[in-house]
Amino acid sequence: QVQLVESGGGLVQPGGSLRLSCVCSGFTFNTYGLSWYRQAPGKERELVGSIASTGGNTHYPDSMKGRFTISRDNAKNTVYLQMNSLKPEDTAVYYCNAYMVTMLRKYDYWGQGTQVTVSS
């Protein structure tokens, strides 16, 4: 059974930092790209960052660059999101995503999410 289990969320003050983790199982971890998304109440889910299967290539939307860093440890089947200089508008549920596209089909798995609340 495919599982992506996020952890590391919680309450943090503005300007603080958190590191989220996502432990994956049930699929061939090192063949999948990985992404972090977030969704705030009343807003669309948005991409925070992504990383290639080998970890050698990362992508961030311009709005996310500089404060968020995605990394992966294939030996531990884990993807991380380092979050710095957090702002109240970063408050959201953060989701881990695994994806792979082949000639015939796509694979796309999601975790349940972890709540991040940035508040004083």
Side-chain angles (χ1 to χ4, degrees), residues 11-69:
L11 177 64
V12 63
Q13 293 186 337
S17 298
L18 285 174
R19 189 170 82 150
L20 307 182
S21 299
C22 176
V23 179
C24 302
S25 61
F27 62 96
T28 307
F29 181 83
N30 64 2
T31 68
Y32 281 71
L34 299 166
S35 298
W36 286 94
Y37 287 77
R38 70 184 186 186
Q39 188 167 27
K43 299 186 68 176
E44 297 289 329
R45 187 170 296 188
E46 64 178 342
L47 176 69
V48 178
S50 62
I51 187 166
S53 60
T54 64
N57 192 28
T58 58
H59 169 76
Y60 308 92
D62 287 342
S63 61
M64 303 294 177
K65 291 180 179 178
R67 298 193 299 119
F68 302 110
T69 303

CSV table of all heavy atoms in Angstrom, one decimal, residues 11-69:
chain,number,residue,atom,x,y,z
A,11,LEU,N,3.0,24.9,15.3
A,11,LEU,CA,2.9,26.4,15.5
A,11,LEU,C,4.3,27.0,15.6
A,11,LEU,O,5.1,26.5,16.4
A,11,LEU,CB,2.1,26.7,16.8
A,11,LEU,CG,2.0,28.1,17.2
A,11,LEU,CD1,1.1,28.9,16.1
A,11,LEU,CD2,1.3,28.2,18.5
A,12,VAL,N,4.5,28.0,14.8
A,12,VAL,CA,5.8,28.7,14.8
A,12,VAL,C,5.5,30.2,14.7
A,12,VAL,O,4.6,30.7,14.1
A,12,VAL,CB,6.7,28.2,13.7
A,12,VAL,CG1,6.1,28.5,12.3
A,12,VAL,CG2,8.1,28.8,13.8
A,13,GLN,N,6.4,31.0,15.4
A,13,GLN,CA,6.2,32.5,15.3
A,13,GLN,C,6.7,33.0,14.0
A,13,GLN,O,7.6,32.4,13.3
A,13,GLN,CB,7.0,33.1,16.4
A,13,GLN,CG,6.4,32.8,17.8
A,13,GLN,CD,7.1,33.6,18.9
A,13,GLN,OE1,8.3,34.0,18.7
A,13,GLN,NE2,6.4,33.8,20.0
A,14,PRO,N,6.2,34.2,13.5
A,14,PRO,CA,6.7,34.8,12.3
A,14,PRO,C,8.3,35.0,12.4
A,14,PRO,O,8.8,35.3,13.5
A,14,PRO,CB,6.0,36.1,12.3
A,14,PRO,CG,4.8,35.9,13.0
A,14,PRO,CD,5.1,34.9,14.1
A,15,GLY,N,8.9,34.7,11.3
A,15,GLY,CA,10.4,34.7,11.3
A,15,GLY,C,11.1,33.4,11.7
A,15,GLY,O,12.3,33.3,11.5
A,16,GLY,N,10.3,32.5,12.2
A,16,GLY,CA,10.8,31.2,12.6
A,16,GLY,C,11.0,30.2,11.5
A,16,GLY,O,10.8,30.5,10.3
A,17,SER,N,11.5,29.0,11.8
A,17,SER,CA,11.8,28.0,10.8
A,17,SER,C,11.2,26.7,11.2
A,17,SER,O,11.0,26.4,12.4
A,17,SER,CB,13.3,27.8,10.7
A,17,SER,OG,14.0,29.0,10.2
A,18,LEU,N,10.9,25.8,10.3
A,18,LEU,CA,10.5,24.5,10.4
A,18,LEU,C,11.1,23.6,9.4
A,18,LEU,O,11.3,24.1,8.3
A,18,LEU,CB,8.9,24.3,10.4
A,18,LEU,CG,8.1,24.8,11.6
A,18,LEU,CD1,6.6,24.7,11.2
A,18,LEU,CD2,8.4,24.0,12.8
A,19,ARG,N,11.2,22.3,9.7
A,19,ARG,CA,11.6,21.4,8.6
A,19,ARG,C,10.6,20.3,8.6
A,19,ARG,O,10.4,19.6,9.6
A,19,ARG,CB,13.0,20.8,8.8
A,19,ARG,CG,13.4,20.0,7.6
A,19,ARG,CD,14.9,19.5,7.7
A,19,ARG,NE,15.1,18.3,8.5
A,19,ARG,CZ,16.0,17.5,8.3
A,19,ARG,NH1,16.9,17.6,7.2
A,19,ARG,NH2,16.2,16.4,9.1
A,20,LEU,N,9.9,20.2,7.5
A,20,LEU,CA,8.9,19.1,7.3
A,20,LEU,C,9.6,17.9,6.7
A,20,LEU,O,10.5,18.0,5.9
A,20,LEU,CB,7.8,19.6,6.4
A,20,LEU,CG,7.1,20.9,6.7
A,20,LEU,CD1,6.0,21.2,5.7
A,20,LEU,CD2,6.6,20.8,8.2
A,21,SER,N,9.1,16.7,7.1
A,21,SER,CA,9.5,15.5,6.6
A,21,SER,C,8.4,14.7,6.0
A,21,SER,O,7.2,14.8,6.4
A,21,SER,CB,10.2,14.6,7.6
A,21,SER,OG,11.3,15.3,8.2
A,22,CYS,N,8.7,13.9,5.0
A,22,CYS,CA,7.7,13.0,4.4
A,22,CYS,C,8.3,11.6,4.2
A,22,CYS,O,9.2,11.5,3.3
A,22,CYS,CB,7.1,13.6,3.1
A,22,CYS,SG,6.0,12.5,2.2
A,23,VAL,N,7.9,10.6,4.9
A,23,VAL,CA,8.4,9.3,4.7
A,23,VAL,C,7.5,8.5,3.8
A,23,VAL,O,6.3,8.4,4.0
A,23,VAL,CB,8.5,8.6,6.1
A,23,VAL,CG1,9.0,7.2,5.9
A,23,VAL,CG2,9.4,9.4,7.0
A,24,CYS,N,8.1,7.9,2.8
A,24,CYS,CA,7.3,7.2,1.7
A,24,CYS,C,7.5,5.7,1.8
A,24,CYS,O,8.6,5.3,2.1
A,24,CYS,CB,7.7,7.8,0.4
A,24,CYS,SG,7.5,9.6,0.2
A,25,SER,N,6.5,5.0,1.4
A,25,SER,CA,6.6,3.6,1.3
A,25,SER,C,5.6,3.1,0.2
A,25,SER,O,4.6,3.8,-0.1
A,25,SER,CB,6.4,2.9,2.6
A,25,SER,OG,5.1,3.2,3.1
A,26,GLY,N,5.8,1.8,-0.2
A,26,GLY,CA,4.8,1.2,-1.1
A,26,GLY,C,5.1,1.5,-2.6
A,26,GLY,O,4.3,1.0,-3.5
A,27,PHE,N,6.1,2.2,-3.0
A,27,PHE,CA,6.5,2.4,-4.4
A,27,PHE,C,8.0,2.6,-4.4
A,27,PHE,O,8.7,2.8,-3.4
A,27,PHE,CB,5.8,3.6,-4.9
A,27,PHE,CG,6.0,4.9,-4.3
A,27,PHE,CD1,7.0,5.8,-4.8
A,27,PHE,CD2,5.4,5.3,-3.1
A,27,PHE,CE1,7.3,7.0,-4.2
A,27,PHE,CE2,5.6,6.5,-2.5
A,27,PHE,CZ,6.6,7.4,-3.0
A,28,THR,N,8.5,2.6,-5.7
A,28,THR,CA,10.0,2.7,-5.9
A,28,THR,C,10.4,4.1,-5.7
A,28,THR,O,10.4,4.9,-6.7
A,28,THR,CB,10.4,2.1,-7.2
A,28,THR,OG1,9.8,0.8,-7.4
A,28,THR,CG2,11.9,2.0,-7.3
A,29,PHE,N,10.8,4.5,-4.5
A,29,PHE,CA,11.0,5.9,-4.2
A,29,PHE,C,12.0,6.6,-5.1
A,29,PHE,O,11.7,7.7,-5.5
A,29,PHE,CB,11.5,5.9,-2.7
A,29,PHE,CG,11.7,7.3,-2.2
A,29,PHE,CD1,10.7,8.1,-1.7
A,29,PHE,CD2,13.0,7.9,-2.2
A,29,PHE,CE1,10.9,9.3,-1.2
A,29,PHE,CE2,13.2,9.2,-1.7
A,29,PHE,CZ,12.1,9.9,-1.2
A,30,ASN,N,13.1,6.0,-5.4
A,30,ASN,CA,14.1,6.7,-6.2
A,30,ASN,C,13.8,6.8,-7.7
A,30,ASN,O,14.7,7.4,-8.4
A,30,ASN,CB,15.5,6.0,-6.0
A,30,ASN,CG,15.6,4.6,-6.5
A,30,ASN,OD1,14.6,4.1,-7.1
A,30,ASN,ND2,16.7,3.9,-6.3
A,31,THR,N,12.7,6.4,-8.1
A,31,THR,CA,12.3,6.6,-9.5
A,31,THR,C,11.2,7.7,-9.6
A,31,THR,O,10.8,8.0,-10.8
A,31,THR,CB,11.7,5.3,-10.1
A,31,THR,OG1,10.5,5.0,-9.5
A,31,THR,CG2,12.7,4.2,-10.0
A,32,TYR,N,10.8,8.3,-8.5
A,32,TYR,CA,9.8,9.3,-8.5
A,32,TYR,C,10.3,10.7,-8.2
A,32,TYR,O,11.2,10.8,-7.4
A,32,TYR,CB,8.7,9.0,-7.5
A,32,TYR,CG,7.7,7.9,-7.9
A,32,TYR,CD1,8.1,6.6,-8.0
A,32,TYR,CD2,6.4,8.3,-8.2
A,32,TYR,CE1,7.2,5.6,-8.4
A,32,TYR,CE2,5.5,7.3,-8.5
A,32,TYR,CZ,5.9,6.0,-8.6
A,32,TYR,OH,5.0,5.1,-9.0
A,33,GLY,N,9.8,11.6,-8.9
A,33,GLY,CA,10.0,13.0,-8.5
A,33,GLY,C,9.1,13.3,-7.3
A,33,GLY,O,8.1,12.6,-7.0
A,34,LEU,N,9.5,14.3,-6.5
A,34,LEU,CA,8.8,14.6,-5.3
A,34,LEU,C,8.5,16.1,-5.2
A,34,LEU,O,9.4,16.9,-5.7
A,34,LEU,CB,9.6,14.2,-4.1
A,34,LEU,CG,9.9,12.7,-3.9
A,34,LEU,CD1,11.0,12.5,-2.9
A,34,LEU,CD2,8.7,12.0,-3.6
A,35,SER,N,7.4,16.5,-4.7
A,35,SER,CA,7.0,17.9,-4.6
A,35,SER,C,6.4,18.1,-3.2
A,35,SER,O,5.8,17.2,-2.6
A,35,SER,CB,6.0,18.3,-5.7
A,35,SER,OG,6.6,18.1,-6.9
A,36,TRP,N,6.5,19.3,-2.8
A,36,TRP,CA,5.7,19.8,-1.7
A,36,TRP,C,4.7,20.9,-2.2
A,36,TRP,O,5.0,21.8,-3.0
A,36,TRP,CB,6.5,20.5,-0.6
A,36,TRP,CG,7.3,19.5,0.2
A,36,TRP,CD1,8.6,19.1,0.0
A,36,TRP,CD2,6.8,18.9,1.4
A,36,TRP,NE1,8.9,18.2,1.0
A,36,TRP,CE2,7.9,18.0,1.9
A,36,TRP,CE3,5.6,18.9,2.1
A,36,TRP,CZ2,7.8,17.2,3.0
A,36,TRP,CZ3,5.5,18.1,3.3
A,36,TRP,CH2,6.6,17.3,3.7
A,37,TYR,N,3.4,20.7,-1.8
A,37,TYR,CA,2.4,21.7,-2.1
A,37,TYR,C,1.8,22.2,-0.8
A,37,TYR,O,2.0,21.5,0.3
A,37,TYR,CB,1.3,21.0,-2.9
A,37,TYR,CG,1.6,20.7,-4.3
A,37,TYR,CD1,2.4,19.6,-4.7
A,37,TYR,CD2,1.1,21.5,-5.3
A,37,TYR,CE1,2.6,19.4,-6.0
A,37,TYR,CE2,1.3,21.3,-6.7
A,37,TYR,CZ,2.1,20.2,-7.0
A,37,TYR,OH,2.4,19.9,-8.3
A,38,ARG,N,1.1,23.2,-0.8
A,38,ARG,CA,0.4,23.7,0.3
A,38,ARG,C,-1.0,24.2,-0.1
A,38,ARG,O,-1.2,24.7,-1.2
A,38,ARG,CB,1.2,24.8,1.1
A,38,ARG,CG,1.3,26.1,0.3
A,38,ARG,CD,2.2,27.1,1.1
A,38,ARG,NE,2.1,28.4,0.5
A,38,ARG,CZ,2.9,29.4,0.8
A,38,ARG,NH1,3.8,29.3,1.8
A,38,ARG,NH2,2.8,30.6,0.2
A,39,GLN,N,-1.9,24.2,0.9
A,39,GLN,CA,-3.2,24.8,0.7
A,39,GLN,C,-3.7,25.5,1.9
A,39,GLN,O,-3.8,24.8,3.0
A,39,GLN,CB,-4.2,23.7,0.3
A,39,GLN,CG,-5.5,24.2,-0.2
A,39,GLN,CD,-6.4,23.1,-0.8
A,39,GLN,OE1,-6.2,21.9,-0.6
A,39,GLN,NE2,-7.3,23.5,-1.7
A,40,ALA,N,-4.0,26.7,1.8
A,40,ALA,CA,-4.6,27.5,2.9
A,40,ALA,C,-6.1,27.5,2.7
A,40,ALA,O,-6.7,27.3,1.6
A,40,ALA,CB,-4.1,28.9,2.8
A,41,PRO,N,-6.8,27.7,3.8
A,41,PRO,CA,-8.3,27.8,3.7
A,41,PRO,C,-8.8,28.8,2.7
A,41,PRO,O,-8.3,29.9,2.7
A,41,PRO,CB,-8.7,28.2,5.1
A,41,PRO,CG,-7.6,27.7,6.0
A,41,PRO,CD,-6.4,27.9,5.2
A,42,GLY,N,-9.7,28.3,1.8
A,42,GLY,CA,-10.3,29.2,0.8
A,42,GLY,C,-9.4,29.5,-0.4
A,42,GLY,O,-9.7,30.3,-1.2
A,43,LYS,N,-8.2,28.8,-0.5
A,43,LYS,CA,-7.3,29.1,-1.5
A,43,LYS,C,-7.0,27.8,-2.3
A,43,LYS,O,-7.2,26.7,-1.8
A,43,LYS,CB,-6.0,29.7,-1.0
A,43,LYS,CG,-6.1,31.0,-0.4
A,43,LYS,CD,-4.8,31.7,0.0
A,43,LYS,CE,-4.0,32.1,-1.3
A,43,LYS,NZ,-2.8,32.8,-0.9
A,44,GLU,N,-6.5,27.9,-3.5
A,44,GLU,CA,-6.1,26.7,-4.3
A,44,GLU,C,-4.8,26.2,-3.8
A,44,GLU,O,-4.0,26.8,-3.2
A,44,GLU,CB,-5.9,27.2,-5.8
A,44,GLU,CG,-7.2,27.7,-6.4
A,44,GLU,CD,-8.2,26.6,-6.7
A,44,GLU,OE1,-7.8,25.4,-6.9
A,44,GLU,OE2,-9.4,26.8,-6.7
A,45,ARG,N,-4.7,24.9,-4.0
A,45,ARG,CA,-3.4,24.2,-3.7
A,45,ARG,C,-2.3,24.8,-4.6
A,45,ARG,O,-2.5,24.9,-5.8
A,45,ARG,CB,-3.5,22.7,-3.8
A,45,ARG,CG,-2.3,21.9,-3.3
A,45,ARG,CD,-2.6,20.4,-3.3
A,45,ARG,NE,-3.7,20.1,-2.3
A,45,ARG,CZ,-4.0,18.9,-2.0
A,45,ARG,NH1,-3.4,17.8,-2.5
A,45,ARG,NH2,-5.0,18.7,-1.1
A,46,GLU,N,-1.1,25.1,-4.0
A,46,GLU,CA,-0.1,25.6,-4.8
A,46,GLU,C,1.2,24.9,-4.6
A,46,GLU,O,1.5,24.4,-3.5
A,46,GLU,CB,0.1,27.1,-4.5
A,46,GLU,CG,0.5,27.4,-3.1
A,46,GLU,CD,0.7,28.9,-2.9
A,46,GLU,OE1,0.9,29.7,-3.8
A,46,GLU,OE2,0.8,29.3,-1.7
A,47,LEU,N,2.1,24.9,-5.6
A,47,LEU,CA,3.4,24.2,-5.5
A,47,LEU,C,4.3,25.1,-4.7
A,47,LEU,O,4.5,26.3,-4.9
A,47,LEU,CB,3.9,24.1,-6.9
A,47,LEU,CG,5.3,23.5,-7.0
A,47,LEU,CD1,5.3,22.0,-6.6
A,47,LEU,CD2,5.9,23.6,-8.5
A,48,VAL,N,5.0,24.4,-3.8
A,48,VAL,CA,6.1,25.0,-3.0
A,48,VAL,C,7.4,24.7,-3.6
A,48,VAL,O,8.3,25.6,-3.8
A,48,VAL,CB,6.0,24.5,-1.6
A,48,VAL,CG1,7.2,25.2,-0.8
A,48,VAL,CG2,4.7,24.9,-0.9
A,49,GLY,N,7.7,23.5,-4.0
A,49,GLY,CA,8.9,23.1,-4.7
A,49,GLY,C,8.9,21.7,-5.1
A,49,GLY,O,8.0,20.9,-4.7
A,50,SER,N,9.8,21.3,-6.0
A,50,SER,CA,9.9,19.9,-6.5
A,50,SER,C,11.3,19.6,-6.6
A,50,SER,O,12.2,20.4,-6.8
A,50,SER,CB,9.1,19.8,-7.8
A,50,SER,OG,9.7,20.6,-8.8
A,51,ILE,N,11.6,18.3,-6.7
A,51,ILE,CA,12.9,17.7,-6.8
A,51,ILE,C,12.9,16.5,-7.7
A,51,ILE,O,12.0,15.7,-7.5
A,51,ILE,CB,13.6,17.5,-5.4
A,51,ILE,CG1,15.0,17.1,-5.5
A,51,ILE,CG2,12.8,16.4,-4.6
A,51,ILE,CD1,15.8,17.2,-4.2
A,52,ALA,N,13.9,16.3,-8.5
A,52,ALA,CA,13.9,15.2,-9.4
A,52,ALA,C,14.3,13.9,-8.7
A,52,ALA,O,14.7,13.9,-7.5
A,52,ALA,CB,15.0,15.5,-10.5
A,53,SER,N,14.1,12.8,-9.3
A,53,SER,CA,14.2,11.5,-8.7
A,53,SER,C,15.6,11.3,-8.1
A,53,SER,O,15.8,10.6,-7.1
A,53,SER,CB,13.9,10.4,-9.7
A,53,SER,OG,14.7,10.4,-10.8
A,54,THR,N,16.6,11.8,-8.8
A,54,THR,CA,18.0,11.7,-8.3
A,54,THR,C,18.4,12.8,-7.3
A,54,THR,O,19.5,12.7,-6.7
A,54,THR,CB,19.0,11.8,-9.5
A,54,THR,OG1,18.9,13.1,-10.1
A,54,THR,CG2,18.7,10.7,-10.5
A,55,GLY,N,17.6,13.8,-7.1
A,55,GLY,CA,17.9,14.9,-6.2
A,55,GLY,C,18.8,15.9,-6.9
A,55,GLY,O,19.2,16.9,-6.2
A,56,GLY,N,19.2,15.8,-8.1
A,56,GLY,CA,20.1,16.7,-8.8
A,56,GLY,C,19.5,17.9,-9.4
A,56,GLY,O,20.2,18.8,-9.8
A,57,ASN,N,18.2,18.0,-9.4
A,57,ASN,CA,17.5,19.1,-10.0
A,57,ASN,C,16.3,19.5,-9.1
A,57,ASN,O,15.5,18.7,-8.8
A,57,ASN,CB,17.1,18.8,-11.4
A,57,ASN,CG,16.6,20.0,-12.2
A,57,ASN,OD1,17.1,21.1,-11.9
A,57,ASN,ND2,15.7,19.8,-13.1
A,58,THR,N,16.2,20.8,-8.8
A,58,THR,CA,15.1,21.3,-8.0
A,58,THR,C,14.4,22.4,-8.7
A,58,THR,O,15.0,23.1,-9.6
A,58,THR,CB,15.5,21.8,-6.6
A,58,THR,OG1,16.5,22.8,-6.8
A,58,THR,CG2,16.1,20.6,-5.8
A,59,HIS,N,13.2,22.7,-8.4
A,59,HIS,CA,12.4,23.7,-9.0
A,59,HIS,C,11.6,24.4,-7.9
A,59,HIS,O,11.0,23.7,-7.1
A,59,HIS,CB,11.5,23.2,-10.1
A,59,HIS,CG,10.6,24.3,-10.6
A,59,HIS,ND1,10.9,25.3,-11.4
A,59,HIS,CD2,9.2,24.4,-10.4
A,59,HIS,CE1,9.9,26.1,-11.7
A,59,HIS,NE2,8.8,25.5,-11.0
A,60,TYR,N,11.5,25.7,-8.0
A,60,TYR,CA,10.7,26.5,-7.1
A,60,TYR,C,10.0,27.6,-7.9
A,60,TYR,O,10.6,28.2,-8.7
A,60,TYR,CB,11.5,27.2,-6.0
A,60,TYR,CG,12.4,26.2,-5.2
A,60,TYR,CD1,13.7,26.1,-5.6
A,60,TYR,CD2,11.9,25.6,-4.1
A,60,TYR,CE1,14.5,25.2,-4.9
A,60,TYR,CE2,12.7,24.7,-3.4
A,60,TYR,CZ,14.0,24.6,-3.8
A,60,TYR,OH,14.9,23.7,-3.0
A,61,PRO,N,8.7,27.8,-7.6
A,61,PRO,CA,8.1,29.0,-8.2
A,61,PRO,C,8.8,30.2,-7.7
A,61,PRO,O,9.4,30.2,-6.6
A,61,PRO,CB,6.7,28.9,-7.7
A,61,PRO,CG,6.4,27.5,-7.3
A,61,PRO,CD,7.8,27.0,-6.9
A,62,ASP,N,8.8,31.3,-8.5
A,62,ASP,CA,9.5,32.5,-8.1
A,62,ASP,C,9.1,33.0,-6.7
A,62,ASP,O,9.9,33.5,-6.0
A,62,ASP,CB,9.3,33.6,-9.1
A,62,ASP,CG,10.0,33.3,-10.4
A,62,ASP,OD1,11.0,32.5,-10.4
A,62,ASP,OD2,9.7,34.0,-11.4
A,63,SER,N,7.8,32.9,-6.4
A,63,SER,CA,7.3,33.3,-5.1
A,63,SER,C,7.9,32.6,-3.9
A,63,SER,O,7.8,33.0,-2.8
A,63,SER,CB,5.8,33.3,-5.1
A,63,SER,OG,5.3,32.0,-5.3
A,64,MET,N,8.4,31.4,-4.2
A,64,MET,CA,8.9,30.5,-3.1
A,64,MET,C,10.4,30.6,-3.0
A,64,MET,O,11.0,30.1,-1.9
A,64,MET,CB,8.5,29.1,-3.3
A,64,MET,CG,7.0,28.9,-3.5
A,64,MET,SD,6.1,29.3,-1.9
A,64,MET,CE,4.4,29.0,-2.5
A,65,LYS,N,11.1,31.1,-4.0
A,65,LYS,CA,12.6,31.0,-3.9
A,65,LYS,C,13.1,31.8,-2.8
A,65,LYS,O,12.7,32.9,-2.5
A,65,LYS,CB,13.1,31.5,-5.3
A,65,LYS,CG,12.9,30.6,-6.4
A,65,LYS,CD,13.4,31.1,-7.7
A,65,LYS,CE,13.2,30.1,-8.9
A,65,LYS,NZ,13.7,30.7,-10.2
A,66,GLY,N,14.2,31.3,-2.2
A,66,GLY,CA,14.9,32.0,-1.1
A,66,GLY,C,14.5,31.6,0.3
A,66,GLY,O,15.3,31.8,1.2
A,67,ARG,N,13.3,31.1,0.5
A,67,ARG,CA,12.8,30.8,1.9
A,67,ARG,C,12.6,29.3,2.1
A,67,ARG,O,12.6,28.8,3.2
A,67,ARG,CB,11.6,31.5,2.2
A,67,ARG,CG,11.8,33.1,2.3
A,67,ARG,CD,10.6,33.7,2.9
A,67,ARG,NE,9.3,33.5,2.2
A,67,ARG,CZ,8.3,32.9,2.8
A,67,ARG,NH1,8.3,32.5,4.0
A,67,ARG,NH2,7.2,32.7,2.0
A,68,PHE,N,12.4,28.6,1.0
A,68,PHE,CA,12.1,27.2,1.0
A,68,PHE,C,13.1,26.3,0.3
A,68,PHE,O,13.5,26.7,-0.8
A,68,PHE,CB,10.7,26.9,0.5
A,68,PHE,CG,9.6,27.6,1.2
A,68,PHE,CD1,8.9,28.7,0.5
A,68,PHE,CD2,9.2,27.3,2.4
A,68,PHE,CE1,7.9,29.4,1.1
A,68,PHE,CE2,8.2,28.0,3.1
A,68,PHE,CZ,7.6,29.1,2.4
A,69,THR,N,13.5,25.2,0.9
A,69,THR,CA,14.5,24.3,0.2
A,69,THR,C,14.0,22.9,0.3
A,69,THR,O,13.7,22.4,1.4
A,69,THR,CB,15.8,24.5,0.9
A,69,THR,OG1,16.3,25.8,0.8
A,69,THR,CG2,16.8,23.6,0.1
